[in-house]
Amino acid sequence: MRNYTTQMDAARKGILTPEIKTVAEKEHMETDKLMKLVAEGKVAICANKNHKALNPEGVGSMLRTKINVNLGVSRDCKDYNIEMQKVMSAVELGAEAIMDLSSHGDTQPFRRKLTSECPAMIGTVPVYDSVIHYQRDLATLTAQDFLDVIRMHAEDGVDFVTLHCGITRKTIEQIKKHKRKMNIVSRGGSLVFAWMSMTGEENPFYEYYDEILDICEEYDVTISLGDACRPGCLADATDVCQIEELVRLGELTKRAWDHNVQVMVEGPGHVPLDQVAANMKVQQTICMGAPFYVLGPIVTDIAPGYDHITSAIGGAVAAMNGASFLCYVTPAEHLALPNVEDTKQGIIASKIAAHAADIAKGIPGARDIDDKMADARRVLDWDAQFECALDPETAKAIRDSRKPEDDHSDTCSMCGKFCAVRSMNKALAGEYIDIL
């Protein structure tokens, strides 16, 4: 019988939960230290009590950087089987979280399948599902309708929900006044903005925040405070709309913690490279060290088809400076729903960014695999190199497609007998070095 409501509540009561114990082992951290961080809100362990298949992870700047993979069907791409393929591929490639952003069809069976079978954290954006669930136009939905969908997602076992609580009716005037280039690019944020504009009412996720906290505490659902005003282009980065919303998110973080509800705060977005670190530091101050969950950041606007690269650049800098959680970006970003290969490319790019940041932060054990790779390369042990690789299959396929000739098969086809590693090994062993 649980004698606590949330992981935060348990940590504050000094109760070592199975989830905290597992995360401490994964992070090579003393349980007492981790419990203190969870109690303070600096680490979130997103673990809905109804997500029975969960292999728990911790999200916090002092832990390994985690990555999230966005999936889900749309009106134009509605095959749930393909989405499930992406889920399994994402988990195999090391994604710690899956967000179901479906915007079409009967979403509940897919959501329940995720929480019954997927070991990764599961997140959703209830405002999307509200329109789909009720099959009614946005303007006809009530505040209670939105709250009921949040409860439904909580009952289904979702570990975290993105809620755009930080925009209010004042934001409508700000957006009109400041004339951003891209206005609001957050899909959930735009829906909330549209609902307020059409109904004349206050943001229900802000107005009924206490009722939402009751639901989240009951099921141990982490609130991911959505950044409705995140910049959608470099010109809008770090502007008044973004920063004022962040200040409000800081206030909402404190209110959630007072309710024993765990929080992550979502961040930009499109940000020039020289502003990424500053954005992380500002969030850490305003939101009191709550885990920061960033989309990218994307550091240039001109690379459609390659935005997994632009986001990996920003993501590495962001995580090195305090971001805890990177939302992957695929080559299809800004262009189309990602297919299976796009998803793989996005995950690998995001994993590279996260790993590079963990090395820079000095996360215990982060560089061990890199040192093993160096040892394998020094002795030209190709099988050992593949074992160390983030994507062994691709690495092996590239080598096998362009193999060197037999008399220097220990090298690769780029250098052949000119291979520096081969030459050095022979020289240090006192052997004759043949080049031709």
Side-chain angles (χ1 to χ4, degrees):
M1 185 72 180
R2 279 173 66 136
N3 52 351
Y4 57 91
T5 54
T6 67
Q7 297 296 319
M8 174 177 271
D9 182 43
R12 288 172 171 177
K13 289 176 176 175
I15 299 170
L16 179 60
T17 67
E19 292 81 9
I20 293 175
K21 186 173 185 293
T22 297
V23 171
E25 290 170 356
K26 289 182 177 181
E27 301 289 345
H28 309 291
M29 182 179 284
E30 295 294 326
T31 54
D32 287 350
K33 181 178 180 182
L34 181 59
M35 286 174 72
K36 183 174 185 292
L37 292 169
V38 174
E40 292 172 346
K42 292 177 181 175
V43 166
I45 299 177
C46 309
N48 186 315
K49 66 181 185 180
N50 288 345
H51 187 177
K52 305 303 183 185
L54 179 68
N55 185 356
E57 296 283 357
V59 181
S61 63
M62 63 298 299
L63 309 181
R64 288 179 298 107
T65 306
K66 308 305 188 298
I67 74 160
N68 171 70
V69 170
N70 288 342
L71 299 164
V73 300
S74 68
R75 183 181 293 273
D76 297 308
C77 301
K78 55 190 81 166
D79 191 330
Y80 279 113
N81 291 326
I82 290 176
E83 293 312 296
M84 208 61 205
Q85 284 180 39
K86 294 179 192 175
V87 170
M88 302 318 296
S89 173
V91 171
E92 287 172 12
L93 288 168
E96 289 87 8
I98 302 290
M99 282 198 82
D100 176 16
L101 305 187
S102 294
S103 59
H104 179 79
D106 186 359
T107 58
Q108 191 171 45
F110 183 66
R111 187 166 57 248
R112 287 181 171 175
K113 186 175 178 66
L114 286 175
T115 58
S116 64
E117 298 179 16
C118 182
M121 296 178 275
I122 304 300
T124 58
V125 187
V127 71
Y128 299 172
D129 202 38
S130 298
V131 178
I132 306 164
H133 177 71
Y134 293 109
Q135 287 294 296
R136 300 206 321 260
D137 281 338
L138 186 65
T140 69
L141 298 177
T142 66
Q144 189 59 51
D145 290 333
F146 293 122
L147 265 62
D148 288 345
V149 169
I150 294 172
R151 178 171 290 281
M152 178 176 65
H153 284 214
E155 290 172 349
D156 287 344
V158 166
D159 302 297
F160 64 98
V161 288
T162 291
L163 302 175
H164 299 84
C165 308
I167 57 170
T168 63
R169 292 202 58 76
K170 181 181 176 184
T171 309
I172 296 175
E173 300 310 314
Q174 275 190 331
I175 291 293
K176 291 177 179 177
K177 178 181 177 183
H178 290 285
K179 301 190 186 307
R180 293 175 125 199
K181 276 190 180 294
M182 288 294 296
N183 297 313
I184 286 178
V185 299
S186 159
R187 187 162 67 173
S190 70
L191 292 173
V192 174
F193 188 97
W195 187 88
M196 288 192 292
S197 298
M198 290 187 290
T199 64
E201 295 183 34
E202 184 54 275
N203 177 357
F205 301 105
Y206 179 75
E207 187 173 4
Y208 298 99
Y209 190 61
D210 289 331
E211 288 86 340
I212 292 169
L213 292 177
D214 288 338
I215 296 169
C216 292
E217 184 176 28
E218 181 180 350
Y219 293 92
D220 196 0
V221 175
T222 299
I223 292 182
S224 191
L225 288 169
D227 53 334
C229 293
R230 70 171 180 264
C233 62
L234 300 187
D236 293 341
T238 326
D239 68 355
V240 171
C241 296
Q242 178 194 337
I243 297 302
E244 185 177 84
E245 182 185 24
L246 185 62
V247 171
R248 195 169 292 112
L249 297 185
E251 297 166 359
L252 294 169
T253 296
K254 177 70 166 57
R255 285 173 60 186
W257 287 348
D258 289 344
H259 224 82
N260 289 320
V261 173
Q262 300 182 102
V263 170
M264 299 186 291
V265 178
E266 298 187 13
H270 292 237
V271 181
L273 192 56
D274 63 312
Q275 293 182 27
V276 172
N279 267 262
M280 303 307 112
K281 301 305 180 187
V282 167
Q283 185 274 344
Q284 287 175 312
T285 301
I286 291 174
C287 299
M288 302 152 289
F292 204 18
Y293 171 25
V294 296
L295 179 64
I298 288 173
V299 294
T300 177
D301 296 337
I302 62 166
Y306 299 92
D307 277 327
H308 57 311
I309 298 173
T310 61
S311 74
I313 293 167
V317 176
M320 183 175 70
N321 286 281
S324 312
F325 200 16
L326 304 180
C327 186
Y328 90 148
V329 172
T330 78
E333 185 77 10
H334 303 109
L335 300 171
L337 189 78
N339 61 24
V340 174
E341 181 58 26
D342 293 330
T343 299
K344 177 180 178 179
Q345 292 298 321
I347 292 169
I348 294 296
S350 194
K351 291 290 284 186
I352 291 169
H355 182 65
D358 289 347
I359 294 168
K361 290 193 297 183
I363 295 294
R367 208 189 70 187
D368 290 356
I369 191 69
D370 297 80
D371 293 343
K372 283 184 69 176
M373 177 66 91
D375 289 337
R377 283 179 170 155
R378 187 184 66 250
V379 297
L380 295 169
D381 184 337
W382 293 96
D383 288 337
Q385 289 178 54
F386 298 143
E387 287 177 12
C388 295
L390 262 177
D391 181 6
E393 185 180 310
T394 296
K396 190 172 189 307
I398 291 173
R399 175 170 168 75
D400 288 348
S401 70
R402 282 157 269 173
K403 280 187 173 180
E405 295 178 358
D406 289 343
D407 68 340
H408 52 275
S409 60
D410 56 337
T411 69
C412 81
S413 58
M414 179 176 179
C415 297
K417 288 187 177 182
F418 281 82
C419 173
V421 176
R422 176 180 183 270
S423 295
M424 287 302 300
N425 288 346
K426 286 181 174 293
L428 292 172
E431 298 176 9
Y432 179 78
I433 302 161
D434 58 315
I435 298 297
L436 297 177

